[in-house]
Amino acid sequence: MVRITEAAFVTSAANITQALSEDMSEIAVIGRSNVGKSSFINTVTNRKNLAKSSATPGKTRLINFFDVTFDCHKEKFRARLVDLPGFGYAKVSKAEKAAWQKSLSEFITRRSSIRLFVLLRDARHPQMAIDVDVRAYLEQIKRPDQEIVTIYTKADKLNQKGRSALKKADPDALLVSNLKKSGIDGATALLFEKLFMRKCEDG
Ligand SMILES: Nc1nc2c(ncn2[C@@H]2O[C@H](COP(=O)(O)OP(=O)(O)OP(=O)(O)O)[C@@H](O)[C@H]2O)c(=O)[nH]1
Ligand SMILES: [Mg+2]
């Protein structure tokens, strides 16, 4: 089984110009404000407060970089996780929102070290138009050496009705709960497989 065994915060940046040099394969974690991006980084790295999460939307204001090590049967693979500010956060001024949107889209379109976009969506709301739009946008800007995966958060909040709605919207949906720490092995395996283009087989 593949695990992330080491993780360390490196730095924050307000925009692409301030960002680290592009010397490592990166996984960019994208999604609506409050969907659980920072929590997801804590869950996959098995660290409580590595990325700052909060019940108040709009918590992550900067682009945060974390160096991580994937371990597949003692073989180490280094990568970088990027925690991004959420989109769709309503409680800021129009000007601030526009500036945000600009630095976020600049980062994701121009940062060539991004190899994988992880789009997080709320399992309770699999059809949200803004998520559909963002997925389409990512498909449009994605270069040949980049991949996109969707992972649904807050699985613990799903009832039977929500489960069927999600299955209908996306039969192959990968679900995680950052609260219950469920779905993490599958999510880690998916990140590893997409990033390093190989599976970490059991044995
Ligand atoms: N029940 C439940 N709550 C979750 C889950 N993931 C995150 N949360 C909660 O949702 C809230 C937002 O989590 P964050 O990780 O800060 O979300 P974010 O996407 O980083 O938000 P921004 O930084 O504002 O864009 C926090 O109160 C978390 O505890 C989950 O899987 N289940
Ligand atoms: Mg955050």
Side-chain angles (χ1 to χ4, degrees), residues 37-38 52-53 59-60 83-84:
K37 298 176 294 299
S38 303
K52 302 282 172 282
S53 75
K59 172 68 179 177
T60 308
D83 189 13
L84 292 167

Side-chain angles (χ1 to χ4, degrees), residues 2 12 58 74 79 87 112 138 150 160 166 183-184 193 199-200:
V2 61
S12 300
K74 304 250 154 61
F87 52 80
S112 57
L138 291 175
T150 296
Q160 198 48 50
L166 180 59
I184 299 315
E193 191 181 322
K199 285 194 184 209
C200 180

Side-chain angles (χ1 to χ4, degrees), residues 94-132:
K94 258 195 174 164
E96 202 181 345
K97 207 169 178 176
W100 268 102
Q101 230 64 331
K102 185 165 174 279
S103 60
L104 187 60
S105 59
E106 243 171 33
F107 185 82
I108 63 179
T109 51
R110 298 195 355 223
R111 181 88 176 161
S112 57
S113 39
I114 298 175
R115 290 284 173 280
L116 180 63
F117 294 105
V118 176
L119 176 60
L120 295 186
R121 296 168 72 150
D122 189 321
R124 294 167 298 174
H125 311 293
Q127 313 266 31
M128 278 193 80
I130 186 163
D131 292 328
V132 175

